[in-house]
Amino acid sequence: MSWMGDFTPGGETSKDAPPPQSEVENTETVQGAFGKPVAAKKANQPFLKYQELRKKQEEELEAKKQRNKERLERQARGEEVEPPEKEEINETVNITLWDIIKFLFIVTMIVLGSGYFITGDPLWDYQGKWRRLSSYLPKHEMLFTETGLAKFDGSDPTKPLYLAIDSNVYDVTPGRRTYGPGGSYAFMAGKDAARAFATGCFKEHQTHDLRGLDEDEQRGIDHWKKFFANHKDYRKVGRVVHPPIDPASPIPEHCNPDTKQKRAENRQKRKQEEMKDKRQEL
């Protein structure tokens, strides 16, 4: 019966018998790197063998230096001496920080050179935002009033083109064909039309008032905020200070009530499906 244990000839159960000598962990310690003790167990044997080999090499090297020193002393006394011993001991190579820097520099030059000859661009035609150092340098951000921001709507070609979303102002001058006069999104320039980004009511919702947005519309705002913040060509230049919104004022109505109603129905349907899935899991 297994609960009684297996009896050994000595009268002890196997669970009480001492483990074989081979299974006893060697708790002996030896001096390792930096003078710290290292347990002489099986897992540490490769390291300990390396330490032993290194110590042997150092001893042999030191003995060879001593023999050469004695040879020079005998030679100075006019005695006949044997030829000097050759340095055959491989000394440990110490890698310095400067060696690492040189290695990284060489690798970087190889990568940049390969990019230039293959794609014509040292950065392999990468167009990420980090390519422009100005993206990471400290910026002097400006504060705009709504009237001041309107002066940068693209009507004056000598001025940069600005737009704002949720109070953050971005220089979109490289996108003048899109946001400048005659562009498909020219109505966004020179103002904070954040609500239009969320609802798609480009004519009716050219306002920063975000009250009453549903979940889908709020996700839309978050998407466009990330779009401008991470764009490789656009950069943030400041913030626009809006007058406070009267909480008692009416919330802007959606330009297409049917669309809003359909979104609400879809949202309710998703919630019901999520509740159904949770009940099935339980």
Side-chain angles (χ1 to χ4, degrees):
M1 291 182 290
S2 60
W3 62 270
M4 295 180 65
D6 296 327
F7 287 92
T8 61
E12 295 178 324
T13 61
S14 60
K15 66 176 182 178
D16 296 326
Q21 186 65 29
S22 60
E23 297 181 4
V24 177
E25 182 113 43
N26 188 353
T27 58
E28 180 184 355
T29 60
V30 296
Q31 186 173 355
F34 308 107
K36 294 183 178 180
V38 177
K41 56 185 180 180
K42 187 176 181 180
N44 293 335
Q45 288 306 309
F47 171 76
L48 296 176
K49 290 292 185 183
Y50 168 75
Q51 290 288 96
E52 183 180 349
L53 175 62
R54 186 173 177 181
K55 182 179 179 181
K56 183 178 179 181
Q57 287 179 337
E58 291 175 352
E59 290 175 351
E60 291 179 3
L61 182 62
E62 189 63 31
K64 183 171 290 188
K65 289 180 179 179
Q66 183 63 30
R67 289 194 297 270
N68 284 334
K69 180 180 178 182
E70 294 173 355
R71 172 186 168 279
L72 291 175
E73 291 175 351
R74 293 199 307 272
Q75 187 178 26
R77 293 194 298 267
E79 299 179 10
E80 186 177 349
V81 296
E82 68 280 1
E85 297 184 50
K86 295 182 180 180
E87 295 289 340
E88 297 178 352
I89 302 297
N90 294 325
E91 297 187 35
T92 303
V93 178
N94 293 322
I95 299 177
T96 64
L97 178 60
W98 176 242
D99 295 328
I100 296 175
I101 293 174
K102 288 192 294 184
F103 172 76
L104 293 177
F105 175 77
I106 293 172
V107 171
T108 301
M109 295 305 296
I110 292 174
V111 173
L112 295 178
S114 301
Y116 179 79
F117 285 108
I118 296 174
T119 67
D121 181 4
L123 297 181
W124 293 80
D125 203 26
Y126 177 76
Q127 299 298 327
K129 191 172 182 179
W130 71 269
R131 181 169 183 161
R132 294 186 292 113
L133 293 178
S134 59
S135 301
Y136 296 92
L137 296 176
K139 303 178 183 65
H140 176 66
E141 295 189 352
M142 300 176 286
L143 289 179
F144 297 86
T145 62
E146 292 182 344
T147 303
L149 181 61
K151 296 178 181 179
F152 299 91
D153 62 353
S155 56
D156 185 349
T158 64
K159 292 182 178 180
L161 186 63
Y162 295 164
L163 66 75
I165 178 169
D166 197 20
S167 299
N168 294 311
V169 181
Y170 294 93
D171 183 344
V172 295
T173 304
R176 187 176 290 274
R177 293 181 60 183
T178 302
Y179 299 104
S184 54
Y185 290 94
F187 61 89
M188 298 286 190
K191 62 174 71 72
D192 186 349
R195 193 177 189 89
F197 281 103
T199 63
C201 299
F202 299 135
K203 293 182 179 179
E204 297 82 2
H205 286 176
Q206 295 185 23
T207 174
H208 65 285
D209 188 351
L210 300 180
R211 293 178 299 162
L213 295 181
D214 59 32
E215 295 176 5
D216 294 334
E217 292 167 341
Q218 189 59 55
R219 280 195 293 268
I221 282 287
D222 294 339
H223 164 77
W224 285 107
K225 288 169 68 174
K226 291 179 181 178
F227 170 81
F228 286 105
N230 299 324
H231 199 282
K232 65 183 181 67
D233 294 326
Y234 305 154
R235 62 187 182 91
K236 184 180 178 182
V237 293
R239 292 179 60 82
V240 57
V241 181
H242 297 292
I245 298 174
D246 183 1
S249 62
I251 296 176
E253 295 183 2
H254 200 282
C255 58
N256 190 340
D258 293 338
T259 300
K260 191 173 183 66
Q261 179 63 26
K262 187 175 180 179
R263 285 181 178 175
E265 292 174 355
N266 290 338
R267 189 164 57 254
Q268 183 64 26
K269 184 177 180 180
R270 286 198 302 269
K271 288 183 178 179
Q272 291 176 353
E273 291 176 350
E274 290 174 359
M275 292 295 295
K276 182 179 179 181
D277 293 339
K278 289 181 180 179
R279 286 195 296 269
Q280 290 178 349
E281 291 176 358
L282 296 176

